[in-house]
Amino acid sequence: MLLNGMEILMILLSGVNIPISRFPTFLKYLSQIFPLSHLMEGLNLIIQDKISMAIPYIVSEIGLLIMYFLLGQFIIKFLERKARHIGNIDLY
């Protein structure tokens, strides 16, 4: 249930249905947390044939991808070490 709520919040605030430019100021800042908003801005620029302006968005998405991958690897290794130490894989 929590993840479904986060998914709905991300879709609403990312500019998929409503452009971010129409949001109030505090929602504009909040929408920048979600990677999907950067992706949508980059895709809108690509569709408008402004590919050179979309490059920063593409680079930031690749950077986020690498960061999330490394964070996931760290968490998996940490939990694996903890499970081996305890002797039980049912941690959480």
Side-chain angles (χ1 to χ4, degrees), residues 77-88:
K77 293 292 181 184
F78 173 76
L79 292 176
E80 181 183 7
R81 270 187 252 121
K82 192 170 183 177
R84 287 178 190 253
H85 178 70
I86 295 172
N88 188 358

Side-chain angles (χ1 to χ4, degrees), residues 12 18 21-22 25-26 31 45 48 51 61-62 77 91:
L12 287 175
I18 303 168
S21 60
R22 293 187 179 182
T25 305
F26 73 95
S31 71
L45 289 172
Q48 295 171 7
I51 296 175
E61 287 298 313
I62 291 172
K77 293 292 181 184
L91 289 174

Side-chain angles (χ1 to χ4, degrees), residues 32 37-39 41-43 45 53-62:
Q32 297 303 314
S37 61
H38 301 284
L39 180 65
E41 290 178 28
L43 287 176
L45 289 172
M53 292 175 63
I55 290 175
Y57 295 104
I58 295 169
V59 170
S60 70
E61 287 298 313
I62 291 172

Side-chain angles (χ1 to χ4, degrees), residues 2 21 27-28 34 38 53-54 58-59 64-65 73-74:
L2 177 66
S21 60
L27 284 180
K28 286 180 185 178
F34 300 109
H38 301 284
M53 292 175 63
I58 295 169
V59 170
L64 278 172
L65 172 73
Q73 289 293 314
F74 173 75

Side-chain angles (χ1 to χ4, degrees), residues 3 6 31:
L3 292 178
M6 289 297 293
S31 71

